[in-house]
Amino acid sequence: MCFRAELRSRWRTWVTLAVLAGIAGGFVTAGIAGARRTDTALARHLHTYRFSDATVFAENVAAEGNRDVRSRRRLAQLGTLPQVQASALDSELAYCARDAKNRPVIDTGPQAVLFLVSIDGRDGVALNRPKLLAGRTVDPTQPREALLDSRSARRFGVQPGDVIPIRVFPSFGDKTVGAFRCDPRDSGPLQPGQPTRREVRQILVSCPGPRPCNEARAVIDRLYASLEKGADFARLAKKFSDDPGGRAHGGRLWITLGQTVEPFNTTAFRLPMGSVSRPLKTHYGWHIVQPLTQPMPDGVLVRLMVVGVKATTDQYPIGRVLLTPAFDRVYGFDSRYFDSELIVRLRHGAADLPAFRKETADEASSLNSEHEAAAKIQRSIHHQAQALRLAAAVGALLCFVLLAQALARLASFATAQHPTLRALGMTRRQLFALGAARGAAIAVPAAALAASIAVALSSLTPIGLARELEPDPGISFDSFTIGLGTAAVLVAVVLAGAYAASRATREPAVAIQATAPPRRVPVADALAQWHFPATIVSGVRLALARGQGTTAIPVGATVLAGVLAVSVVAVALTFTASLHHLFSTPRLYGQNWDYRSNYTVPSAASIRADPRISDFARGGFQDHVLLNGRPVGVVAMDNVKGRIDPVVTAGQAPERADEILLAQKTLDALGLQIGDMVQVRVRRAVRMRIVGRGVVPEASFNELGQGAALTWQAYRRLDPRARPYSLEMRIARGADTQATLARLERRYVTPAPGPPKTVADFGGVSELPLVVSGLLVAIAAGVLAHALVMAIRARRRQLAVLKTLGFDRRQVFATIIWQATTLAAIGLLVGLPLGVALGRWTWTLFAEQIGVVPEPVTPLPLILLVVPAAVLLANLVAALPAWRAARTRAAAVLRAE
Amino acid sequence: MPAVPEMLKTVRLRKKFESEGAPVRALRGVDLVVAAGEFVAVTGPSGCGKSTLLNLVSGLDTPSDGEVFLAGESLAGKDESELAHLRRRHVGFVFQFFNLLEDTSALENVALAAVIAGASRRKAELRARELLDLLGLPDKAGELPGVLSGGQRQRLAIARALANEPTLLLADEPTGALDSMGGLEVLELFRRLHAGGQTILLVTHDAGVADAAERVVRMQDGRIVGATIAPPVVRAVGG
């Protein structure tokens, strides 16, 4: 009966608390369930889409010809082994392409895209089925259809229906394999690394067989004379040329730059149209050459049609494009493949791998375990899931703090009646039961709301990398986590209610008028002294006065809620600003330069003369340097112009040939500090001193936070035969950065790198801090509103007295507004500096954890914006309670006691 | 002969409260006049409408029917803000349970009333000190009401009520929460103020308290049913 009475009178409070607890519980549960879903997404994807367990590679040996039929056959045979459940044969294509920003796309480096041609049509069908994000998969009978993964689709800036023009080549150019810096649409003849061809006619008079060369010389001179007089080249070639293939077609043939002997090669490509070469001698004999076409790129232009986009399953930063068996049939002759590869799915998965590995081991092929590759991807995904879990945990903690005091306040209001009820004859146990019933009445709707919110929010998960991979997108019902979360909300609320009730039942059963004497509010007194208007003084007093008995308000807890909300926002803003700063400051993740390349090193003189390059260093990277027996990735550079040092966080950069700098995690792994000696070995072993700690750029061989740096001179002591093959450059201030970078990319092949994988991983979840803080601000606003309403109710009498003294409605309204503003002001005064300090501290911890230079950033304009925002929010929250207080009939209040 | 000004006049005042079940008719047509300088007590059993009368008279509540004239001005048709302003000028309220601001000093309690009425801070404090002296609380200016005795608290409340030199001093059971000593103090104070010319309307269920007044009006069931002491009759105009 008492329960029903209390329900009737306080149902609004109960509903508010239930809603707040439900929202908080819902979001936290959603976060934990989402983290779980994120963590398991990759494994479920690989299972659902029948992913491969291993890939066997057989490198294409140029001498075998384009199709490399032999290695294909051998690989296909491996597909019949007993461990293999399904297999697919692919070949990796040598191509020339440009991305959305018209930058070259190549198959290696930080923006690598692999073009794979499905030779037997089984890739994506028998195994490695694609999870389509848009469009459809390829039709194996269509030679120009292409299926892209999302990463490559982003690079090319295309969607299903778009066209990607590429060039394919029958041969590799004179540069390093893969370094094709060509524009597929450019038909200019000479592009570095790209084969150039030309159609010519030639007349060959062989020597020394079948005739001596002086005779051949005489023949060719006669022929040349005839040509000069206007004879027809084709007829002469048919009649006199010793080149069998050419004779049939009037001496016509296609030649590729660099693929014929000198001086024929150079002469043939230099000849202008309409001219005829003088006789020239090669070891084949004497030639005369006539050009028929201008030199042109030696590659067929293929306009690929994008038919679909699938989820990305390759490690960052690799993207993938799948082409059809029809492509191989139509363009295979004109194409060059780097290798052939057999993708296999084993009957017993990873368990069959060792046996399969043994069967396939030979010198001509190598095997990659897809499980290892997937493990690397999973690590990135796991980081993001952990971030979500952390956010949920922080959210849970803060929500609990905010709501616990709201619940306690509710309980204290109710238990203020306990002495009266006890006097009327209720036993302790009945009061306890009442408290528990109250808790349950709030807990059950709260738990139901929490469960609904968690289920509804599940459609937003998984987050980050895993989102694409999720085989069952949309709403998911993680019964375990949701059940746990619901139970937690129930237990927490009931416990809080019971605890508050138990504390009250321990008080003596006597109605106590005033337990603690009221305290002054010095701030309000001071404001009164300083002639502040009565509304402000009254508002401040209402906010900060504790009151007593039934008018008691836990001021401290309300103020704490405000401080917490503001500081959480400040932490989130600081953290997010520091994260964005990290993205835009490559120096922080070890890239103390603007451009780096591994392909060729220009002369020092040319760089010194280039005003656009302010600093230049050259040397090399080595992935397997042993430091005290441990393999570490090492960067070794000497400054040629200006100064490019590794990024140093303690100590100094290595300068002498016996000095070395280590990254933090490497130092920890080796158990060393600055000043210690370490044994470094490549071909020779040398003892060096650790002179500094720093950040070495992430590479394939060392994660962020690992690595070492020394001078190239020092490296030469370890490997005297080493030659510099890498360069680092910084673009001069004032130079056009974009244009210079583009030029460097064209010259040195390697695209300018972006942030390393670890940093990019966190880019995927950079909004998380803001989402969490948004939620907490909402909850804090709810708590503040609740506190205001309760305070107004408790101080009804006081407000009525003010009305009696002559406050009109406007002044009562203003008083409540000032009450809310006071709470906001305290929150800001304490919360902002606290939050900024905390944000900087947590960022520093985080940065050290992932291995970048900790450089926290305080976004001052945004932080200052929080001030008016908080005041505005407080006023908005207070508006309704203030309006209602203003309309309270003083008479009604004063009539009752 | 010039009429003594009427500080308060109610004409057929009615008030009906809606509540669960039957409506409550708190006042059923009350005609009351309080002349300037009069000390009038309204007495009757609890529930007879005394407190309602005070609330209507001070503008804290609006009548269902009838009119109230306070210092010659009708309260009818005035909005909240105007009523509040009228209250500041004309009404001083003394409650049974004091209704002081417990977390504010005695001086501040009194000064606040003056500040609300528009006095400057300095003037308000001066006035507050005057009143505290006048009412026998000179050394309590900086104290919180909590340390004062019941009688002292009510004197403080009276000081607050007098802060703006109100036309009319209203008291709702002023001795109800006091012991006999305190009650006597307060009644003595009212007599003194009356002697000084203050118009007072006091409401009480205690006949003994009502005797301190010049004129006692008896109420029952929302109506005036009699007067115990012959009032110095309000002379009608011209009479």
Side-chain angles (χ1 to χ4, degrees):
Chain A
M1 193 215 10
C2 293
F3 178 81
R4 247 180 291 142
E6 202 184 313
L7 172 62
R8 229 177 300 133
S9 66
R10 294 210 196 283
W11 66 268
R12 258 176 297 222
T13 309
W14 288 21
V15 166
T16 314
L17 283 177
V19 167
L20 288 180
I23 292 179
F27 270 80
V28 170
T29 307
I32 298 184
R36 206 153 163 253
R37 200 179 183 199
T38 302
D39 253 340
T40 58
L42 178 63
R44 285 180 291 114
H45 180 98
L46 296 180
H47 178 76
T48 309
Y49 291 95
R50 308 191 77 212
F51 252 65
S52 53
D53 297 297
T55 306
V56 186
F57 295 87
E59 202 178 317
N60 199 14
V61 178
E64 301 257 354
N66 291 351
R67 258 21 197 312
D68 195 12
V69 173
R70 270 221 328 233
S71 55
R72 284 188 188 177
R73 216 181 285 145
R74 194 175 63 236
L75 284 177
Q77 267 182 340
L78 292 179
T80 61
L81 285 173
Q83 293 93 359
V84 175
Q85 186 190 60
S87 67
L89 186 65
D90 290 343
S91 284
E92 197 196 323
L93 180 70
Y95 65 90
C96 150
R98 291 255 159 158
D99 68 9
K101 300 195 188 104
N102 203 34
R103 290 162 53 193
V105 178
I106 58 174
D107 64 312
T108 58
Q111 314 270 358
V113 176
L114 300 179
F115 276 67
L116 283 157
V117 179
S118 172
I119 304 297
D120 61 4
R122 293 220 283 264
D123 189 350
V125 176
L127 71 168
N128 281 13
R129 297 203 180 132
K131 177 180 180 236
L132 287 169
L133 302 174
R136 58 174 174 83
T137 189
V138 290
D139 178 349
T141 64
Q142 297 299 317
R144 293 191 295 119
E145 288 192 354
L147 175 68
L148 274 63
D149 68 6
S150 59
R151 198 173 273 149
S152 51
R154 266 196 301 273
R155 291 231 173 96
F156 283 111
V158 294
Q159 0 169 355
D162 290 342
V163 166
I164 300 178
I166 66 168
R167 269 192 197 278
V168 296
F169 313 93
S171 57
F172 298 129
D174 56 347
K175 297 291 183 183
T176 317
V177 163
F180 293 110
R181 304 291 293 185
C182 66
D183 182 348
R185 280 160 287 203
D186 188 354
S187 41
L190 286 169
Q191 294 175 19
Q194 186 190 346
T196 306
R197 65 177 180 164
R198 190 174 206 181
E199 201 181 18
V200 301
R201 272 195 236 268
Q202 75 154 342
I203 299 170
L204 169 66
V205 179
S206 306
C207 80
R211 63 189 78 74
C213 281
N214 50 354
E215 268 190 48
R217 176 79 202 254
V219 172
I220 209 79
D221 283 342
R222 267 208 317 273
L223 290 170
Y224 185 69
S226 311
L227 286 169
E228 284 213 290
K229 289 206 198 90
D232 181 44
F233 198 109
R235 275 208 310 172
L236 287 181
K238 276 204 182 112
K239 219 170 148 193
F240 293 105
S241 182
D242 288 330
D243 167 26
R247 204 170 39 212
H249 301 112
R252 274 169 69 165
L253 77 159
W254 281 95
I255 54 173
T256 302
L257 183 64
Q259 306 254 306
T260 52
V261 296
E262 295 296 349
F264 183 89
N265 180 54
T266 313
T267 313
F269 277 90
R270 285 226 189 106
L271 280 175
M273 293 294 295
S275 68
V276 164
S277 77
R278 287 186 180 282
L280 56 99
K281 175 139 195 329
T282 71
H283 71 252
Y284 290 110
W286 284 93
H287 311 252
I288 302 178
V289 193
Q290 178 195 51
L292 292 177
T293 68
Q294 292 281 21
M296 63 183 73
D298 181 19
V300 175
L301 182 68
V302 182
R303 293 169 58 80
L304 293 175
M305 169 78 79
V306 179
V307 299
V309 177
K310 72 174 187 77
T312 301
T313 49
D314 280 288
Q315 277 185 67
Y316 180 90
I318 299 171
R320 182 181 288 246
V321 176
L322 183 68
L323 302 174
T324 63
F327 178 95
D328 184 50
R329 278 198 299 279
V330 172
Y331 299 105
F333 181 76
D334 287 308
S335 299
R336 194 71 179 166
Y337 296 108
F338 291 121
D339 63 19
S340 298
E341 32 193 270
L342 187 76
I343 310 173
V344 296
R345 190 171 157 82
L346 303 173
R347 288 190 202 284
H348 301 107
D352 277 343
L353 202 51
F356 182 74
R357 201 188 278 268
K358 226 188 281 176
E359 302 258 11
T360 60
D362 82 40
E363 357 36 89
S365 61
S366 59
L367 183 147
N368 277 2
S369 159
E370 296 299 334
H371 291 274
E372 282 169 19
K376 290 194 186 146
I377 301 177
Q378 179 62 24
R379 264 209 291 279
S380 297
I381 292 178
H382 186 62
H383 280 153
Q384 297 178 336
Q386 291 292 73
L388 189 55
R389 274 196 197 95
L390 183 65
V394 168
L397 183 65
L398 291 171
C399 285
F400 182 73
V401 170
L402 285 177
L403 286 173
Q405 47 99 351
L407 271 170
R409 201 181 311 127
L410 173 69
S412 79
F413 268 112
T415 59
Q417 295 171 334
H418 279 193
T420 317
L421 293 173
R422 298 269 331 265
L424 288 175
M426 283 190 85
T427 65
R428 279 214 166 94
R429 196 173 303 160
Q430 283 173 314
L431 284 175
F432 189 89
L434 184 62
R438 184 191 310 122
I442 299 178
V444 169
L449 183 62
S452 327
I453 289 182
V455 170
L457 286 180
S458 67
S459 59
L460 293 178
T461 63
I463 59 167
L465 289 172
R467 190 159 176 73
E468 257 185 23
L469 296 170
E470 173 60 52
D472 285 312
I475 302 227
S476 97
F477 192 76
D478 182 348
S479 36
F480 176 71
T481 310
I482 292 185
L484 207 63
T486 312
V489 170
L490 271 170
V491 167
V493 174
V494 169
L495 272 183
Y499 170 69
S502 79
R503 274 195 43 202
T505 59
R506 269 189 244 121
E507 281 173 13
V510 173
I512 299 168
Q513 213 21 326
T515 43
R519 286 213 291 244
R520 280 172 212 271
V521 183
V523 177
D525 290 340
L527 288 178
Q529 290 285 358
W530 298 333
H531 305 216
F532 271 73
T535 48
I536 299 183
V537 174
S538 305
V540 173
R541 220 183 273 285
L542 268 182
L544 301 179
R546 238 190 6 191
Q548 77 246 63
T550 45
T551 67
I553 299 173
V555 173
T558 314
V559 167
L560 182 65
V563 167
L564 264 179
V566 170
S567 47
V568 161
V569 170
V571 168
L573 285 175
T574 306
F575 202 88
T576 308
S578 302
L579 188 64
H580 284 265
H581 177 64
L582 176 64
F583 280 135
S584 49
T585 314
R587 172 181 50 87
L588 298 178
Y589 41 85
Q591 291 179 12
N592 216 5
W593 30 262
D594 294 319
Y595 183 75
R596 169 168 96 172
S597 171
N598 245 356
Y599 280 104
T600 181
V601 182
S603 75
S606 64
I607 294 299
R608 286 203 190 101
D610 189 342
R612 281 171 289 196
I613 307 294
S614 59
D615 305 86
F616 170 62
R618 69 176 172 203
F621 319 142
Q622 186 51 253
D623 62 342
H624 215 78
V625 175
L626 296 174
L627 261 62
N628 283 1
R630 267 192 133 90
V632 174
V634 164
V635 173
M637 290 286 175
D638 271 351
N639 287 305
V640 171
K641 177 180 184 185
R643 195 184 166 101
I644 299 185
D645 281 333
V647 176
V648 178
T649 54
Q652 62 187 56
E655 279 174 19
R656 294 174 15 179
D658 62 348
E659 296 181 342
I660 187 170
L661 171 143
L662 260 52
Q664 177 68 58
K665 291 188 184 163
T666 305
L667 271 175
D668 291 340
L670 292 171
L672 297 172
Q673 334 173 1
I674 299 179
D676 290 345
M677 302 295 284
V678 62
Q679 194 200 54
V680 188
R681 166 191 276 281
V682 180
R683 287 187 197 281
R684 301 215 187 125
V686 176
R687 280 176 74 72
M688 300 197 182
R689 196 182 43 236
I690 304 172
V691 296
R693 184 186 77 210
V695 178
V696 175
E698 189 173 72
S700 55
F701 42 85
N702 56 280
E703 279 186 6
L704 209 51
Q706 297 173 346
L710 33 72
T711 62
W712 180 250
Q713 288 306 315
Y715 187 78
R716 289 280 307 266
R717 296 175 64 197
L718 302 163
D719 182 2
R721 285 191 270 158
R723 292 265 172 284
Y725 56 90
S726 308
L727 58 86
E728 292 174 354
M729 291 186 183
R730 217 179 273 141
I731 298 176
R733 261 184 235 259
D736 181 343
T737 314
Q738 291 305 324
T740 313
L741 262 183
R743 194 173 59 86
L744 291 172
E745 284 177 355
R746 274 201 301 277
R747 263 216 83 190
Y748 302 108
V749 174
T750 313
K757 177 168 74 75
T758 313
V759 173
D761 285 349
F762 286 100
V765 294
S766 65
E767 309 86 29
L768 214 50
L770 289 176
V771 168
V772 172
S773 59
L775 164 68
L776 284 163
V777 167
I779 301 244
V783 170
L784 178 65
H786 174 74
L788 276 175
V789 168
M790 305 216 83
I792 292 168
R793 203 170 297 154
R795 299 288 164 73
R796 255 181 320 198
R797 180 158 280 265
Q798 204 168 344
L799 288 169
V801 169
L802 286 176
K803 274 199 160 171
T804 319
L805 291 179
F807 258 28
D808 58 26
R809 270 191 197 154
R810 192 191 55 81
Q811 287 171 306
V812 174
F813 185 87
T815 302
I816 305 297
I817 295 292
W818 279 110
Q819 178 187 6
T821 306
T822 305
L823 292 172
I826 299 177
L828 287 168
L829 216 64
V830 179
L832 269 186
L834 181 68
V836 168
L838 210 62
R840 290 175 73 95
W841 181 73
T842 42
W843 173 259
T844 304
L845 275 185
F846 172 74
E848 284 170 0
Q849 182 68 23
I850 64 171
V852 297
V853 177
E855 223 173 66
V857 160
T858 306
L860 212 52
L862 280 179
I863 295 282
L864 290 179
L865 215 70
V866 173
V867 175
V871 171
L872 187 65
L873 184 64
N875 283 352
L876 278 175
V877 163
L880 185 59
W883 185 80
R884 290 184 58 207
R887 309 198 112 256
T888 310
R889 318 217 106 226
V893 171
L894 293 172
R895 203 165 10 110
E897 184 181 329
Chain B
M1 191 139 15
V4 177
E6 294 164 347
M7 283 307 153
L8 173 67
K9 175 163 155 182
T10 75
V11 180
R12 281 193 299 277
L13 206 54
R14 283 176 210 282
K15 181 67 183 176
K16 187 164 69 172
F17 290 108
E18 305 298 327
S19 73
E20 310 177 355
V24 175
R25 290 196 176 74
L27 294 180
R28 302 169 192 238
V30 170
D31 296 289
L32 178 68
V33 170
V34 178
E38 272 203 284
F39 182 175
V40 178
V42 174
T43 119
S46 60
C48 68
K50 315 187 293 293
S51 297
T52 310
L53 178 64
L54 280 189
N55 289 335
L56 289 175
V57 150
S58 61
L60 285 174
D61 205 348
T62 41
S64 313
D65 199 4
E67 221 172 333
V68 176
F69 292 87
L70 184 59
E73 257 186 276
S74 168
L75 296 189
K78 289 213 177 347
D79 65 26
E80 260 283 323
S81 164
E82 289 167 319
L83 288 174
H85 288 221
L86 268 179
R87 261 200 301 285
R88 290 177 199 170
R89 284 203 326 267
H90 294 300
V91 175
F93 229 114
V94 177
F95 300 93
Q96 176 176 2
F97 292 102
F98 325 125
N99 284 336
L100 295 164
L101 299 176
E102 297 292 331
D103 44 35
T104 319
S105 69
L107 186 74
E108 184 57 32
N109 262 286
V110 181
L112 180 62
V115 166
I116 290 178
S120 79
R121 178 75 209 170
R122 189 164 313 162
K123 284 228 185 82
E125 271 188 32
L126 272 173
R127 176 99 180 117
R129 280 191 204 279
E130 261 176 42
L131 284 167
L132 288 178
D133 282 343
L134 183 69
L135 296 180
L137 302 166
D139 50 347
K140 307 284 186 203
E143 304 283 356
L144 291 181
V147 310
L148 304 176
S149 73
Q152 288 173 324
R153 286 216 213 141
Q154 195 61 295
R155 277 191 275 156
L156 178 56
I158 295 170
R160 177 178 69 182
L162 294 174
N164 295 319
E165 296 178 23
T167 325
L168 187 58
L169 182 63
L170 300 175
D172 189 350
E173 296 282 8
T175 60
L178 303 175
D179 59 18
S180 48
M181 260 314 272
L184 286 174
E185 272 177 54
V186 166
L187 286 180
E188 182 52 40
L189 194 48
F190 276 128
R191 279 201 209 95
R192 254 205 304 148
L193 290 171
H194 174 230
Q198 179 69 49
T199 314
I200 305 176
L201 176 60
L202 180 151
V203 148
T204 179
H205 70 274
D206 185 339
V209 169
D211 281 341
E214 225 182 339
R215 169 162 70 104
V216 179
V217 172
R218 270 198 334 263
M219 274 184 71
Q220 188 151 0
D221 291 330
R223 287 201 190 83
I224 294 181
V225 295
T228 50
I229 297 175
V233 172
V234 173
R235 290 167 179 69
V237 172

